[in-house]
Amino acid sequence: MVVDALIPDAAAEADYAAQAAPDHRKALGQFFTPPRLAALMADWVAGAQPRMILDPAMGAGVLTRAAQARCPDAQVVAYERDEAILRAADAGRAQVRHEDFLRAGWEHYDGVVMNPPYIRHRELRDHGALRAEIGARAGYVLPKSANLYVDFVVKAACQLRRGGRGAFLIPGEWMGANFARGFKQFLLGPGGLQQVVLFSQRHVFDDALTTASILLVQRP
């Protein structure tokens, strides 16, 4: 049970949602993490006593703020490529990098909190070379049918130090999707999957009707 004081507010997310065009958010796959889930995810990561925490898709900052509240002595590095959402974001004292995480370096971290963008594979353009590079580093061939969040999970999991923990909020579709077999093998191997929290009802996100899951990983 997470202490209420560690649950971040969502003022930045609400302000951005009120001003951002729906088409802009849809194109970038922006769906905000509910504050209580953000706190739960940060609580899992805190178990590794992290000194460096990564948020690969910061958005307006709710997971970054949750990580800072739960791990006040840790340094948080947050990536976000959308300039519009950065103007509305509340990242606390995090080191914010205005760039695409998937194209960034491969530094290692003690913890990762992440709600990656949800973009279907059919909407990806000129992504094959980048996907192949991530797969080569991970030792796992990412299939063309995988939606973008799979790339984020694979890269972020590989950037965890041994014993480091990650909490990833992603759609629950991966459990039965065509690409799932290889993805599951990765998660159960180098991905370090420990638990899956599956939400069977479609009301996790205020603005999207989809099932959701949280992957709790610890790098072996």
Side-chain angles (χ1 to χ4, degrees):
M1 184 176 184
V2 178
V3 178
D4 284 348
L6 299 179
I7 298 174
D9 67 50
E13 284 71 21
D15 289 346
Y16 175 72
Q19 62 180 296
D23 288 347
H24 177 81
R25 291 187 59 194
K26 182 178 179 181
L28 295 177
Q30 295 173 342
F31 298 97
F32 299 133
T33 307
R36 284 190 173 273
L37 292 190
L40 286 170
M41 293 165 69
D43 193 57
W44 165 259
V45 170
Q49 299 181 324
R51 293 178 296 174
M52 293 287 291
I53 299 174
L54 169 68
D55 184 347
M58 185 184 77
V62 66
L63 278 168
T64 289
R65 298 192 302 275
Q68 290 175 104
R70 185 61 180 82
C71 306
D73 295 328
Q75 172 65 53
V76 179
V77 176
Y79 285 83
E80 177 53 56
R81 69 186 184 97
D82 179 24
E83 185 175 349
I85 203 169
L86 277 176
R87 289 195 295 267
D90 176 4
R93 64 186 184 282
Q95 178 188 137
V96 178
R97 299 180 181 177
H98 181 199
E99 59 181 305
D100 184 348
F101 166 71
L102 295 181
R103 299 182 183 278
W106 289 74
E107 300 95 339
H108 287 89
Y109 296 86
D110 309 302
V112 181
V113 288
M114 179 174 68
N115 175 2
Y118 180 55
I119 300 177
R120 297 180 184 277
H121 68 279
R122 298 182 185 87
E123 299 166 359
L124 298 175
R125 298 290 183 269
D126 301 321
H127 189 67
L130 178 58
R131 174 163 278 180
E133 178 187 345
I134 294 170
R137 292 289 296 261
Y140 159 59
V141 178
L142 282 76
K144 294 181 180 179
S145 59
N147 295 330
L148 188 65
Y149 64 81
V150 173
D151 301 55
F152 273 80
V153 169
V154 171
K155 186 171 188 286
C158 288
Q159 289 185 232
L160 279 169
R161 294 189 177 97
R162 292 189 181 276
R165 287 186 172 188
F168 311 142
L169 176 60
I170 63 174
E173 64 179 13
W174 67 273
M175 300 191 76
N178 291 334
F179 60 79
R181 182 174 182 179
F183 187 48
K184 290 175 183 177
Q185 290 174 343
F186 170 81
L187 290 173
L188 293 172
L193 182 65
Q194 303 297 308
Q195 298 181 53
V196 178
V197 181
L198 181 63
F199 301 89
S200 59
Q201 298 182 357
R202 295 173 177 262
H203 63 257
V204 172
F205 301 103
D206 291 337
D207 46 6
L209 292 176
T210 183
T211 56
S213 63
I214 297 176
L215 310 182
L216 302 178
V217 307
Q218 184 161 15
R219 188 72 186 271

